[in-house]
């Protein structure tokens, strides 16, 4: 034990001092051109990382302590990485169309334009032009949503989870809320219908069973203290077989007969019937409104393909009540979101044009033939770039909608499979994610898959370039020696590091 701690002391004392590093010509240069304070921070980080490795025993020999020739480039790399655009664009080859981890839908050009104008200038957000007085920030999308959904009024908040919370809280605090056991779903992360109902202050009254709920079940649960019936579109799973749920129409008649509200969380928020493009039916917002739902909540970044937000539409007096709820202030949207939403919504006024105007609809409606041609172009680019280092094939497969929309209804696609003798599947997927821009793939049957449905046409050439770089990349080389993400090539320093590898 004593020897060990003595050795450690010796290793610590042979590390270069931070002061000395800061006087190194390359680091001094770096300080000239980059924020000095951040260069100092990164220098300390690199030294601390090496100290950690000494403490945990991965470095136990003077020879394995990184020298200046290694430490200095690492600091430079860390500084440049840290100052780069952190939310960098990526190529989605994973075939998940609304990939929450990759930011869900890419925005349409009209949304980008609106966003950019609002972002770079002052904008009319919450001011009336005629009176010059304060106005309602929700008014910009009001007319369009009225036209698109048939609802009297609307309100935009941070996301659909917030929309549900606000509506339940506004109408059911301290009162009973009736919901079917078949609709007590978990949407992902911390959003579970029973938990949200509890947080909203409503008293949840469950009716029916997991697979079947009848109108009479709802009716039997109504008491003097009932405030509303909640209907949830179970957007991320599907019950096949012996199954029954009550329609929006029947529920709204029942609710209104007893002076209750019908609130509907429709989730994915289809504004148009997807069957027109041969896709699976999803309940639409205009149908729910027409069938008598008093308030309908949905996501702005699912089938709308807009920015992250929650859209609430419904009767004017109910929307006004929600606007007065103090929670509304806490979850309202800023000018960036509202302008991007505005630029997205107007595309739905011409649904037939969506495949041309909206990247999400271009992606989901592209004929298999088009996807196939794109897959073949991707395969050819990879072969041209990487010669015979990879085995590349184009096969049939399926993309998925993601974000709990169109569950279990895959969309036909064509996939490029890539495998290599030199790298394991996980290693190849990793180097592709670490490339610039990162390429995200999925793994199936121990092969890296690039799904051509989620790749844009102008990204095909980039994929070729990524494979060209990967092939000549030091990182790939390091991986072949099984030393990925290590500081030293010798292999004594290995394992996990929270610092980026030298690339
Ligand atoms: C996705 C979803 C939510 C959550 O919406 P976010 O916009 O992701 O917060 C809530 N309810 C349903 C039915 C959903 O599908």
């Amino acid at each position: 034990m004593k020897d060990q701690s003595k050795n450690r002391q010796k290793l610590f004392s042979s590390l270069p001092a931070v002061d000395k590093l800061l006087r190194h010509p390359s680091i001094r240069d770096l300080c000239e051109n980059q924020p000095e304070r951040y260069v100092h921070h990164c220098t300390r980080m690199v030294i601390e990382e090496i100290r950690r490795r000494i403490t945990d025993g991965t470095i136990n020999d003077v020879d394995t302590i990184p020298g200046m020739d290694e430490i200095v480039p690492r600091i430079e790399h860390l500084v440049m990485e840290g100052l780069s655009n952190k939310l960098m664009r990526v190529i989605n080859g994973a075939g998940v169309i609304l990939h929450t981890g990759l930011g869900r839908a890419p925005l349409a050009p009209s949304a980008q334009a609106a966003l950019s104008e609002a972002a770079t200038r002052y904008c009319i957000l919450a001011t009336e032009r005629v009176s010059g007085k304060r106005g309602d920030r929700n008014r910009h999308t009001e007319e369009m949503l009225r036209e698109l959904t048939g609802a009297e009024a609307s309100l935009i908040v941070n996301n659909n989870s917030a929309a549900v919370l606000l509506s339940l809280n506004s109408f059911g605090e301290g009162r009973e809320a009736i919901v079917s056991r078949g609709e007590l779903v978990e949407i992902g992360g911390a959003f579970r219908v029973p938990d949200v109902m509890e947080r909203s202050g409503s008293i949840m009254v469950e009716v029916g069973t997991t697979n079947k709920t009848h109108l009479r079940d709802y009716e039997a649960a109504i008491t003097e203290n009932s405030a509303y019936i909640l209907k949830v579109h179970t957007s991320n799973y599907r019950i096949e077989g012996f199954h029954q749920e009550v329609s929006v129409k029947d529920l709204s008649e029942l609710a209104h007969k007893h002076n209750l509200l019908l609130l509907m969380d429709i989730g994915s928020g289809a504004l148009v019937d997807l069957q027109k493009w041969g896709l699976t039916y999803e309940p639409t917002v205009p149908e729910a409104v027409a069938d008598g739902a008093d308030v309908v909540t949905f996501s702005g970044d699912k089938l709308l393909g807009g920015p992250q937000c929650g859209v609430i539409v419904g009767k004017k007096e109910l929307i006004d009540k929600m606007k007065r709820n103090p929670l509304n202030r806490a979850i309202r949207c800023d000018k960036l979101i509202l302008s991007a939403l505005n630029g997205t919504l107007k595309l739905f006024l011409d649904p037939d044009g969506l495949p041309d105007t909206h990247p999400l609809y271009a992606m989901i409606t592209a004929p298999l033939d088009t996807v196939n041609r794109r897959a073949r172009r991707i395969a050819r680019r990879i072969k041209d770039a990487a010669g015979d280092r990879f085995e590349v094939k184009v096969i049939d497969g399926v993309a998925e909608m993601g974000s709990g929309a169109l569950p279990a209804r895959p969309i036909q696609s064509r996939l490029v499979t890539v495998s290599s003798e030199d790298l394991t599947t996980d290693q190849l997927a990793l180097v592709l994610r670490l490339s610039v821009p990162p390429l995200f793939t999925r793994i199936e049957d121990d092969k890296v898959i690039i799904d051509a449905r989620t790749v844009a046409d102008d990204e095909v050439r980039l994929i070729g370039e990524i494979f060209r770089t990967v092939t000549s990349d030091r990182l790939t080389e390091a991986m072949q020696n099984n030393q990925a993400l290590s500081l030293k090539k010798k292999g004594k320093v290995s394992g996990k590091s929270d610092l980026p590898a030298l690339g």
Side-chain angles (χ1 to χ4, degrees), residues 262-280:
L262 175 64
L263 311 181
M264 166 130 204
D265 173 17
I266 207 167
S268 40
L271 287 179
V272 290
D273 184 354
L274 301 180
Q275 290 177 110
K276 86 197 250 110
W277 296 292
L279 294 159
T280 317

Side-chain angles (χ1 to χ4, degrees), residues 313-377:
V313 300
K315 303 243 162 74
K316 184 166 187 321
E317 111 200 54
L318 302 177
I319 297 288
D320 285 343
K321 184 165 183 207
M322 281 189 253
K323 285 181 180 170
R324 291 191 301 268
N325 187 329
L327 250 186
N328 178 37
R329 170 62 196 245
I331 57 178
R332 74 181 186 189
C333 293
D334 75 336
K335 63 174 183 171
L336 303 182
I337 301 299
L338 292 170
S339 56
L341 178 65
N342 208 37
T344 304
L345 281 174
K346 63 180 162 203
L347 304 176
F348 287 83
L349 294 170
D350 173 21
D352 292 330
L354 281 169
D356 296 321
T357 56
H358 196 321
L360 174 65
Y361 285 80
M363 218 180 273
I364 61 179
T365 64
L368 196 55
D369 214 34
T370 309
V371 180
N372 182 43
R373 261 178 281 134
R374 192 182 300 142
R376 297 204 165 279
R377 290 208 325 276

Side-chain angles (χ1 to χ4, degrees), residues 377-378 381 456-467:
R377 290 208 325 276
I378 295 171
R381 289 280 182 177
D457 279 324
D458 64 359
E459 291 174 329
V460 171
R461 188 186 51 82
L462 266 175
I463 292 179
E465 276 166 28
I466 287 169
F467 272 86

Side-chain angles (χ1 to χ4, degrees), residues 26-176:
S26 305
I27 302 294
R28 287 222 309 251
D29 271 359
L30 198 59
C31 288
E32 297 266 301
N33 301 307
Q34 307 300 340
E36 190 170 335
R37 176 173 164 187
Y38 196 62
V39 177
H40 289 204
H41 171 81
C42 293
T43 304
R44 284 194 304 273
M45 288 255 296
V46 169
I47 294 298
E48 266 168 33
E49 164 73 3
I50 300 170
R51 290 179 72 91
R52 260 204 306 280
R53 283 155 181 265
I54 293 174
T55 308
D56 71 18
T58 32
I59 297 181
N60 51 21
D61 184 296
V62 178
D63 282 351
T64 56
I65 292 185
M68 290 297 240
D69 59 331
E70 212 165 317
I71 292 178
V72 170
R74 202 163 160 71
I75 295 170
E76 287 168 337
H77 179 85
L78 206 56
V79 170
M80 298 323 282
E81 249 260 339
L83 296 175
S84 67
N85 177 14
K86 290 301 208 177
L87 274 83
M88 58 172 86
R89 67 82 62 92
V90 307
I91 299 176
N92 177 3
V96 180
I97 294 163
L98 293 171
H99 194 306
T100 302
L102 301 181
R104 293 197 182 162
L107 290 182
S110 61
Q112 294 167 37
L115 172 69
S116 162
E117 183 173 332
T120 49
R121 302 287 174 171
Y122 292 108
C123 83
I124 196 76
L125 180 66
T127 304
E128 297 282 3
R129 284 169 79 189
V130 174
S131 65
K133 297 216 169 83
R134 258 313 166 87
D136 182 351
R137 64 178 59 212
N138 294 287
R139 72 191 189 286
H140 309 287
T141 45
E142 186 94 38
E143 281 315 316
M144 216 138 41
L145 279 167
R146 202 181 316 196
E147 171 59 25
L148 291 170
T149 68
E152 287 172 11
S154 56
L155 168 60
I156 317 298
V157 294
N158 179 61
N159 57 13
N160 186 35
S161 310
V164 175
L165 183 66
L166 179 64
S167 67
L168 305 192
N169 177 263
S170 301
F171 306 116
E173 211 174 1
R175 296 184 60 198
E176 287 170 9

Side-chain angles (χ1 to χ4, degrees), residues 167-405:
S167 67
L168 305 192
N169 177 263
S170 301
F171 306 116
E173 211 174 1
R175 296 184 60 198
E176 287 170 9
I178 306 170
V179 63
S180 160
R181 290 197 170 89
E183 298 175 6
L184 294 176
V185 292
E186 171 175 312
I187 303 297
F191 189 90
R192 295 174 137 190
V193 171
D195 299 345
V196 176
M197 288 184 90
E198 193 191 318
R199 279 297 161 117
S200 76
S202 305
I203 302 159
M204 183 170 72
V205 178
E206 301 171 36
V207 298
T209 62
T210 309
N211 58 330
K212 278 203 171 201
T213 304
H214 304 274
L215 189 63
R216 60 174 184 271
D217 296 328
Y218 285 97
E219 188 151 29
I222 296 174
T223 71
E224 280 197 342
N225 196 29
S226 306
Y228 63 85
I229 295 174
L230 172 66
K231 180 155 181 66
V232 182
H233 171 44
T234 56
S235 56
N236 59 358
Y237 87 117
R238 188 175 291 273
I239 301 181
E240 305 271 355
F242 196 58
H243 165 59
Q244 179 170 327
E245 61 180 297
V246 183
S247 70
V248 176
K249 207 173 183 132
D250 289 347
L251 276 183
S252 72
E253 276 168 18
L254 177 70
H256 298 153
K257 194 169 96 190
H258 293 272
N259 255 328
L260 307 183
L261 298 174
L262 175 64
L263 311 181
M264 166 130 204
D265 173 17
I266 207 167
S268 40
L271 287 179
V272 290
D273 184 354
L274 301 180
Q275 290 177 110
K276 86 197 250 110
W277 296 292
L279 294 159
T280 317
Y281 170 77
E282 266 287 291
T284 70
V285 180
E287 279 165 359
V289 172
D291 286 347
D294 297 293
V295 171
V296 183
T297 57
F298 54 99
S299 293
D301 54 350
K302 288 185 181 171
L303 290 175
L304 228 62
Q308 180 197 298
C309 61
V311 183
I312 309 173
V313 300
K315 303 243 162 74
K316 184 166 187 321
E317 111 200 54
L318 302 177
I319 297 288
D320 285 343
K321 184 165 183 207
M322 281 189 253
K323 285 181 180 170
R324 291 191 301 268
N325 187 329
L327 250 186
N328 178 37
R329 170 62 196 245
I331 57 178
R332 74 181 186 189
C333 293
D334 75 336
K335 63 174 183 171
L336 303 182
I337 301 299
L338 292 170
S339 56
L341 178 65
N342 208 37
T344 304
L345 281 174
K346 63 180 162 203
L347 304 176
F348 287 83
L349 294 170
D350 173 21
D352 292 330
L354 281 169
D356 296 321
T357 56
H358 196 321
L360 174 65
Y361 285 80
M363 218 180 273
I364 61 179
T365 64
L368 196 55
D369 214 34
T370 309
V371 180
N372 182 43
R373 261 178 281 134
R374 192 182 300 142
R376 297 204 165 279
R377 290 208 325 276
I378 295 171
R380 191 160 358 100
R381 289 280 182 177
I382 297 175
K383 282 185 197 148
D384 287 351
D388 44 17
R389 279 193 60 182
F390 297 100
E391 195 188 325
V392 184
K393 281 199 194 121
V394 176
I395 60 166
D396 276 333
V398 288
E400 62 173 289
M401 201 66 200
S403 290

